[in-house]
Amino acid sequence: MTSAAWSPNTFLGGLPEATAKELVGLSTQRQFAPGRVVLREGDREGHVELLISGFVKVTTSVDGFETLLGIRVPGELVGEVGALTGQPRNATVTTCGRVTAGVVSRAAFEDFLRRHPPAAARVMAAIAGQLSWANRRRTDFAVYPAHVRLARLLVEIGELCGRPAPNGAIEIGVPLSQPELATMIAIAQATVQNAIRELRGRGLLSTGYRRLTILDPAGMRALAELGPETP
């Protein structure tokens, strides 16, 4: 695959095509079925995984409860923090559907970054982006009611992995349960049910089993107070 296959906002997609091709060439590719663990929290393996195709969920265990931290899309990198720090994995990465990933050893990855400083800068930018995402969630907790927090989250997820649906709707491209949504915006499951009901009542959202469709993307952005989408 070439860098054109990935969004330019992702790690691989933002690299020059020759640089991305070189890194992918350093990897050993493997296939994962849906629901398989790619990286496990607490493990001390030092490699990184390139997401060649497919989506994954990133979760952590807090007091015995699984908390969904985010979603990673094709072209992104996972396991980079453990590889760069030598510390145990701080999260578990699980596939959402079929995934092709490329394993790059810590030594090969570190050598690649030394030879390609712009790639090293993109790794740091990706880590900073993850921290920024977490900070936005914390700000949302303090400022917005539950249904607006959910709207803000769904807009971001739709931008990450949304698929065009009829009449301008956007179908969320990964299966997400109500408990997972609740953990991402720090509310009880009963509260997220009420928030979903509110968004459905406004004609902004339709739901099925682990399936979400944003019916009115502009209306959802307006409710989320995010402003119009930039072209």
Side-chain angles (χ1 to χ4, degrees), residues 57 67 72 138 163 189 194 207:
K57 297 176 186 177
T67 299
R72 302 288 180 266
R138 282 192 286 270
R163 296 189 295 242
Q189 187 173 342
N194 291 335
T207 61

Side-chain angles (χ1 to χ4, degrees), residues 190-203:
T191 306
V192 85
Q193 290 171 353
N194 291 335
I196 289 172
R197 190 176 301 114
E198 174 75 18
L199 297 182
R200 283 199 306 244
R202 291 172 179 254

Side-chain angles (χ1 to χ4, degrees), residues 9 11 80 118-132:
N9 295 325
F11 174 71
E80 69 278 17
R122 287 197 66 84
V123 172
M124 294 302 102
I127 294 172
Q130 294 165 23
L131 293 174
S132 176

